[in-house]
Amino acid sequence: MTRLLFGATLLLVGALAFTAGSQRDRAALPSPVVYPPQRIALRMDHALPAHARLRCERCHEGATDSTRANESLIPREASCAPCHDAQLDREQRSAETCGTCHVGSDGTDVRPSSFPPARLHFSHQQHAREGVRCLDCHRAIPNRQVATAMDLPTMESCWRCHGTAGLGGDEASGECSVCHLGEPDGRIRTRFGEAEMLPPRWLHGMDHDRDFLVRHRWVAADQGELCAECHTESECLACHDGRVRPSSIHPADFLTNHGPMARRDENRCTSCHTTQRFCTECHSRLGLSPMAAPAARSGVAFHPPAFVDAHGVEARRSMTTCTSCHAERDCVVCHGARGIGAGLSPHPAGYAGRCRDDYRRNPRACVTCHGDAIDTRCR
Amino acid sequence: MRLALRDRPLPRGVLLLALGAAFGVSEAQAQTWTSDAPTARDEPAERSFWQLDSDASFTAYAIASTLSPVVFERRRFVETLGLRHVLLLGDDPREARYRIETSVALRVDQDFGQDCLRNRDVCYDPVVPSDDLVYQPLARRTRLDVPTFHVELQGPRGLRVRAGRQVAMDAAGMFRFDGARAAVAPFEWLAVSAQGGRQVRPGSFAGSPGLGVQGSIHLVLPESLAPSDYAYVAEPPRTFVYGGAAELGVERVVRLRGFARELRDDDGLVLSYAGVGATSRPHRALLLRGDLVWELGDRELVEAYGEASVHLADTTTRVRVRHHVPRFDHGSIWGFFDPVPVSQLEVAFDAPAMGDVRLGVIGRARRSAPGDENTVERDAGGELWGRLQRGAWRAELRGFLWAGSLSPVAAVLGESRRVFARGAVWARASVWRFDDPWRAERDTNSVSVALGGAFQLTRATRFALDAEWAHSALVRHRLRVLFSFLVRAWK
C-alpha cells in the first residue's frame, strides 16, 4: 500500500511538473459556441500606425449606435475609400489593388468572408453610453493585424462589471438572460446546431468535466437555482430514474464490470437505482438471488463458504450490495429475535441504551425482527 | 416457476411514439423560435409557447452469468413524452416579469424479454400472475410512470411557487413528491424555500436507501392482484415529506446554507435529516465548498463533503474529501444495523498540454473500517486522462487503477467523436481488468468496442444508433444495440 501511495504521488507530481512546464500564459479563450467559427479572407493591420491613430468608429461605422449582436460592424468598402481610393479603382483590378485587402485575390475574384453573429444579446450603444470604451473589451486589437473571434470578449471579462452573487463587479446586471439567448421558459438556450454551450471552468466550480459526474450532486445542492438557468428537471430525471445508461457513468460493458464497481460504490449506485427493485429484477431472473424462482436457481451457491464469517464486514461497508439480492426476511431468518442466530445482534454497540427512542419514532422495523419479544428496555 | 404462456400486453408505448412522432414532425416544420440559425433574435411578441420533448428508445441485449443456469434476453422499449406550456404574463410579453409554466412528463417502459435456461430449450415468463408463491421479477411488463406533472408561477427575485408532482433536492440528495414548494430570493444575499407533500416512491425514481423506505420489494401490482397474496411484494406505505432550506450571505465572503427534511409514514418517523454548508470564493481563482448532513435521530454525521478548487490561468487543481455512511432510513430494519463510514480523498489537476490536448490526473485514497482494528480497509487509485479537441473532432483516452483491500480494478477507455452539421458519429473501446475477492475463477478481462451515430432528421428530430460488442470470460460475447428517436421543439 505504501508503495502504491508513493507511486501515485510520484505520478501526480510528474504530471503536474509536465503540464505546468508546458503551460503557456493562457487565459480562457472566447467560446466557439458563443462566437461561431469565422472565415476571414481579409487583410488588415490594426497595428499599422496609419490605422492605429484612427478612432475605432472611423472604420467601424455605427458601432456605438448598434443595439443588437447580429448587426455587422465589419467596415464596409466605403469606410476604406478615403485612404484606399487607389486600390478601390474598379478599372484597375489586379492582385496589387484588390489583393491589398482581399487575401488571394488576383483582381478577378474575391474570396468570401463569413462573420456569423455572436449568439448573445449585446448592445454596443448601451455600453458606450455607460462610458465603456472599445478597448476595455477588445484589449488586444491595437497590437493585432486581423481581428478575429479571439479578440471578442470572454465571459470572464464581462464579469468585471456583470458579476453576480457577489463575485465580479456589480455595476451591471448579472442575470444570465441579460447576455445569453433564452428559451420561452426563461432558461438559457444551450443547444445550437453544431455544439452545446457549457459553463466556463471558473464559474462556481461548475465546469462540466469528467469529474463533474461525481461533483455535480454537491454543486447542485449549492447552486440549484443556477443549474435551473439551463436545465429542466426532466434532464435530471433522464439519468436519475435509472432507466437509461449514460455511457459517461456506465462505461462500455458495464454489465460485466458493474459488480466490482458497485462494491466500491464510487458513483453511488443508489443515486439512480432502487436496489430493492432495479437490482433484484435482474439478479432474481438470473437465479442469483434467494428470491429467484426455483427453476432459475443455480446449483452453485453464489457466496463461497468463507463468506459466512465475512458477511458482516461486507454488510457494514456496503449494505446496498446485500440488498441487491436479499430482502429483509433473509436477514431476519438469522438475526431476528427468534431466528437461527438470535443473539447475533447487528445493532451497534450500546444500542440497547438508546433503542427506546427509535422504537418511539417508528416501531415497524423493531417489530419486523423482534415481534412481540421486544426488550422491555425499548418499549 | 412453471411454464406459462407469455403475457404480452398491448405495447401502448408504440401508440405514444406514433403520436409523438407525428406531432413532433409537423410541429418541427412550424417552429421558428429556436432556429439553429446563428443569430441573436429578439424574443417574439407571443405570450404562449408549447414545447414537445419526446424520446423513444429500443434496446436489445442478453444477460447471463457464469453462476447462473439462466440467460435472459432483454428487449426494452422506453418512451418518454414531455409537454410544457409557458404563458408570459403582462401587457408586453417582452417585458414579462411573471410566467406560468405547466410541465408534464409521461413514460412507458415495455419489456419484451424472456428468461431461458442456458441451452434455451426451456423458457419461462418473468411475469406469472397465477403463481403466487414466488417472487415476480417483473410484476408486469408494461410500466407507466408520470415523472413530473406540475404548475409553477415564476416571478422576479427568484419567486417560484409550484404545485404538483415535482423533484427537489438538498445536500442529502434528490426526492420526488406530490405537493407544493415555494422559493424566493428577496435579496442577493438571502434565499429561502419550503416544501411539503407525499413522497412518490412506486415510480421509478426516488428510491435510494436514504430517501425511500426499503426492506421489502415495493412494486406496483396489477389491479387484479392483491398485494397480500404475493410473497416479497408489498405496496409502499404512505410517506409524507416536508422541510425547508435557507441561504445567507454572498459568495465573495461566505455564503451559508442550511436545510432540514423529515419523512413520516403511518407508523412514525422514517427519516430526519438536517445539514449545513458553506461556499466561499475569497479570490477569483479560489473556490471553497463544504457540506455536512446529520441524521437527527441518533445525531450521526452521515455525509460530509469538502472541496477546494484553484483555477489559475487555464489550469484547475482540486482537492476533495468525502465521508459517507451507507445507512438506510429507519423505515427498514437495515436502518438499525451498524454501517461504517467510508472516507475518500481525491486530488485532481488538469491543464492544457500541447496544442489542442488537455491532460488531467487524479489521485484517490479510500478508507473504511468495517470490522475491528485489524480489518481497516485502505485503497489507493489513480486516473490519467487526455482529451484532444480539434474543431468538431474530439478524442479522449483515460485509464484508471484501484488497488488495495477491495481488490484491484483497472481499465483503459478511449472514445472518439466527430460532429457534423447534421449529426455525429462516434467510436468507443475499452479494456477492463478486475479481480473478484471471493472467487478467483471470476478474475477476468473484459474488452468492448462500440460504434454509433446520431443524425438530425429535421431541426427538431434526430435518431441515434449505437452498437456495442463486448467479450469477457464471464459472459463471452455480448452484443448490445440501441436505437433512439428524439423530438425536441418549441412552438
Side-chain angles (χ1 to χ4, degrees):
Chain A
M1 173 57 73
T2 309
R3 283 182 191 171
L4 259 176
L5 284 174
F6 182 69
T9 309
L10 265 185
L11 186 70
L12 182 63
V13 171
L16 280 169
F18 172 74
T19 46
S22 63
Q23 170 68 19
R24 295 190 293 271
D25 180 24
R26 293 200 211 190
L29 299 174
S31 164
V33 183
V34 173
Y35 304 116
Q38 302 170 326
R39 189 171 61 236
I40 304 176
L42 293 170
R43 189 172 283 121
M44 172 64 191
D45 189 351
H46 285 87
L48 194 72
H51 289 148
R53 61 172 166 262
L54 298 175
R55 296 178 65 240
C56 302
E57 307 93 285
R58 168 66 188 78
C59 300
H60 297 278
E61 291 178 55
T64 52
D65 295 323
S66 169
T67 58
R68 294 166 61 149
N70 60 351
E71 292 172 348
S72 175
L73 300 177
I74 305 299
R76 288 170 296 177
E77 195 176 88
S79 304
C80 309
C83 303
H84 292 276
D85 204 26
Q87 285 87 357
L88 291 172
D89 185 354
R90 291 290 193 272
E91 303 301 318
Q92 302 292 327
R93 292 180 182 179
S94 68
E96 286 70 35
T97 54
C98 301
T100 302
C101 297
H102 294 283
V103 176
S105 173
D106 59 1
T108 59
D109 197 11
V110 170
R111 289 186 203 166
S113 294
S114 169
F115 299 94
R119 289 159 172 162
L120 290 171
H121 298 297
F122 190 82
S123 169
H124 279 88
Q125 183 189 63
Q126 189 171 347
H127 284 77
R129 284 179 181 169
E130 296 293 334
V132 179
R133 296 171 306 153
C134 303
L135 296 185
D136 288 341
C137 300
H138 305 286
R139 287 183 174 182
I141 285 186
N143 302 316
R144 288 271 196 269
Q145 292 188 322
V146 174
T148 69
M150 292 296 107
D151 298 297
L152 297 170
T154 63
M155 183 172 165
E156 193 166 15
S157 65
C158 298
W159 269 44
R160 285 197 296 265
C161 299
H162 286 276
T164 185
L167 282 182
D170 51 6
E171 293 91 342
S173 170
E175 294 288 321
C176 304
S177 58
V178 168
C179 300
H180 289 286
L181 306 185
E183 302 280 14
D185 59 2
R187 290 181 177 83
I188 296 174
R189 184 182 173 199
T190 56
R191 290 187 177 87
F192 296 92
E194 83 293 354
E196 187 175 2
M197 192 170 69
L198 300 172
R201 306 180 63 77
W202 48 267
L203 181 64
H204 300 291
M206 301 184 87
D207 39 327
H208 289 20
D209 55 4
R210 176 166 296 285
D211 195 33
F212 194 69
L213 286 173
V214 180
R215 283 190 302 115
H216 82 281
R217 169 190 173 180
W218 302 101
V219 176
D222 177 15
Q223 301 286 347
E225 294 301 318
L226 204 58
C227 298
E229 292 283 354
C230 299
H231 298 286
T232 61
E233 283 173 15
S234 62
E235 291 176 74
C236 306
L237 293 168
C239 278
H240 281 277
D241 72 355
R243 294 196 187 185
V244 296
R245 198 196 78 160
S247 62
S248 50
I249 298 172
H250 298 150
D253 199 22
F254 199 70
L255 204 56
T256 303
N257 307 321
H258 79 280
M261 298 307 282
R263 190 163 176 260
R264 202 171 291 279
D265 203 16
E266 218 183 329
N267 283 338
R268 201 71 58 78
C269 308
T270 49
S271 298
C272 304
H273 301 295
T274 313
T275 56
Q276 285 282 285
R277 179 177 175 131
F278 180 86
C279 305
T280 48
E281 180 193 323
C282 276
H283 291 166
S284 63
R285 287 176 79 174
L286 282 176
L288 303 176
S289 159
M291 289 179 264
R297 284 184 197 155
S298 166
V300 182
F302 181 81
H303 295 299
F307 191 79
V308 174
D309 296 329
H311 83 280
V313 169
E314 292 283 332
R316 294 187 69 205
R317 184 205 318 115
S318 177
M319 179 60 79
T320 50
T321 308
C322 306
T323 59
S324 69
C325 286
H326 295 281
E328 276 184 339
R329 65 172 60 186
D330 297 325
C331 302
V332 175
V333 165
C334 290
H335 290 287
R338 291 171 177 162
I340 300 167
L344 295 174
S345 171
H347 294 302
Y351 181 73
R354 57 185 171 86
C355 61
R356 186 187 297 267
D357 289 342
D358 287 337
Y359 182 79
R360 285 178 179 164
R361 293 174 73 189
N362 193 330
R364 185 173 60 240
C366 307
V367 173
T368 303
C369 287
H370 296 272
D372 57 2
I374 294 176
D375 195 313
T376 51
R377 286 175 296 177
C378 301
R379 288 177 186 270
Chain B
M1 182 178 287
R2 58 196 162 87
L3 298 179
L5 288 176
R6 289 175 199 135
D7 167 33
R8 293 189 177 178
L10 279 175
R12 277 167 281 187
V14 175
L15 299 175
L16 277 177
L17 170 66
L19 180 67
F23 181 72
V25 171
S26 61
E27 190 279 337
Q29 291 163 347
Q31 65 98 17
T32 56
W33 213 85
T34 53
S35 158
D36 282 332
T39 57
R41 297 179 181 177
D42 282 342
E43 294 179 18
E46 287 87 0
R47 61 176 70 243
S48 176
F49 299 91
W50 283 95
Q51 189 196 31
L52 171 75
D53 189 353
S54 172
D55 186 356
S57 64
F58 183 79
T59 314
Y61 54 97
I63 300 177
S65 164
T66 48
L67 294 172
S68 168
V70 178
V71 57
F72 73 87
E73 294 165 349
R74 169 139 282 172
R75 305 281 182 267
R76 176 188 275 181
F77 174 80
V78 179
E79 158 101 24
T80 59
L81 181 64
L83 284 171
R84 280 200 294 159
H85 179 252
V86 178
L87 181 65
L88 306 179
L89 303 178
D91 295 333
D92 182 359
R94 295 171 201 269
E95 302 296 326
R97 300 178 70 208
Y98 293 89
R99 58 165 63 90
I100 294 177
E101 179 182 321
T102 306
S103 180
V104 60
L106 306 170
R107 182 169 43 222
V108 178
D109 189 340
Q110 176 72 35
D111 188 289
F112 301 95
Q114 58 178 356
D115 300 355
C116 300
L117 295 185
R118 198 170 277 276
N119 56 14
R120 294 179 188 266
D121 58 350
V122 176
C123 293
Y124 51 90
D125 202 294
V127 180
V128 190
S130 58
D131 195 336
D132 58 0
L133 296 178
V134 297
Y135 169 60
Q136 305 284 318
L138 293 174
R140 53 184 174 186
R141 285 187 175 275
T142 305
R143 303 181 213 182
L144 288 168
D145 194 8
V146 184
T148 59
F149 186 13
H150 60 251
V151 180
E152 181 177 271
L153 170 69
Q154 302 169 1
R157 295 187 182 274
L159 174 69
R160 287 172 186 266
V161 181
R162 175 185 288 190
R165 178 163 294 185
Q166 55 192 297
V167 174
M169 79 166 301
D170 50 39
M174 301 171 79
F175 55 104
R176 193 168 63 155
F177 64 100
D178 293 331
R181 181 175 188 271
V184 66
F187 307 103
E188 194 175 56
W189 47 269
L190 178 65
V192 292
S193 66
Q195 69 275 328
R198 181 176 174 179
Q199 193 182 16
V200 178
R201 285 187 288 103
S204 56
F205 176 67
S208 68
L211 303 171
V213 179
Q214 301 265 319
S216 53
I217 311 293
H218 297 304
L219 293 177
V220 180
L221 291 170
E223 291 178 0
S224 58
L225 304 177
S228 57
D229 291 340
Y230 284 79
Y232 295 105
V233 176
E235 289 285 3
R238 288 187 308 163
T239 308
F240 296 93
V241 58
Y242 47 89
E247 293 183 7
L248 180 69
V250 291
E251 205 166 301
R252 188 163 40 200
V253 183
V254 65
R255 189 158 49 80
L256 304 171
R257 57 185 170 276
F259 82 94
R261 169 152 55 95
E262 280 198 345
L263 267 71
R264 186 177 290 275
D265 67 17
D266 298 335
D267 294 316
L269 195 61
V270 173
L271 175 149
S272 181
Y273 278 170
V276 295
T279 302
S280 176
R281 192 169 171 179
H283 185 273
R284 291 180 71 81
L286 176 64
L287 176 69
L288 304 168
R289 175 181 288 144
D291 282 282
L292 301 169
V293 180
W294 287 271
E295 161 59 60
L296 296 180
D298 51 20
R299 298 175 192 80
E300 182 175 15
L301 181 68
V302 292
E303 292 279 1
Y305 179 83
E307 172 189 332
S309 304
V310 178
H311 297 274
L312 283 177
D314 200 15
T315 69
T316 301
T317 306
R318 183 173 288 122
V319 179
R320 200 168 65 222
V321 183
R322 285 192 288 168
H323 172 91
H324 165 63
V325 182
R327 62 180 295 162
F328 284 70
D329 63 64
H330 286 177
S332 81
I333 63 168
W334 298 316
F336 302 91
F337 281 27
D338 188 21
V340 294
V342 177
S343 304
Q344 189 161 315
L345 168 69
E346 292 188 15
V347 181
F349 174 78
D350 66 79
M354 301 154 288
D356 302 320
V357 176
R358 189 169 191 92
L359 290 178
V361 60
I362 305 172
R364 300 187 175 101
R366 184 182 192 275
R367 183 190 183 280
S368 179
D372 55 28
E373 286 302 313
N374 298 322
T375 56
V376 173
E377 295 175 341
R378 292 189 180 87
D379 294 80
E383 182 170 339
L384 197 59
W385 58 265
R387 180 183 298 159
L388 169 65
Q389 177 88 50
R390 182 164 293 165
W393 181 57
R394 171 174 159 158
E396 182 174 296
L397 184 67
R398 73 181 178 113
F400 71 84
L401 165 72
W402 271 107
S405 305
L406 290 181
S407 72
V409 182
V412 177
L413 305 104
E415 180 172 3
S416 177
R417 175 180 289 259
R418 174 74 165 84
V419 178
F420 300 97
R422 295 184 68 84
V425 291
W426 57 79
R428 300 189 304 271
S430 73
V431 179
W432 285 66
R433 168 72 199 184
F434 60 85
D435 291 354
D436 188 314
W438 292 104
R439 290 170 297 265
E441 71 276 11
R442 283 173 58 85
D443 296 353
T444 191
N445 300 317
S446 158
V447 182
S448 76
V449 177
L451 293 171
F455 306 95
Q456 200 85 24
L457 298 176
T458 70
R459 282 176 178 169
T461 59
R462 108 192 209 132
F463 78 88
L465 184 66
D466 186 280
E468 177 185 294
W469 167 84
H471 180 271
S472 70
L474 293 180
V475 294
R476 301 186 183 282
H477 299 278
R478 176 189 288 125
L479 183 65
R480 173 180 174 276
V481 180
L482 184 148
F483 174 86
S484 71
F485 178 70
L486 174 76
V487 180
R488 178 176 288 147
W490 283 99
K491 182 178 183 182

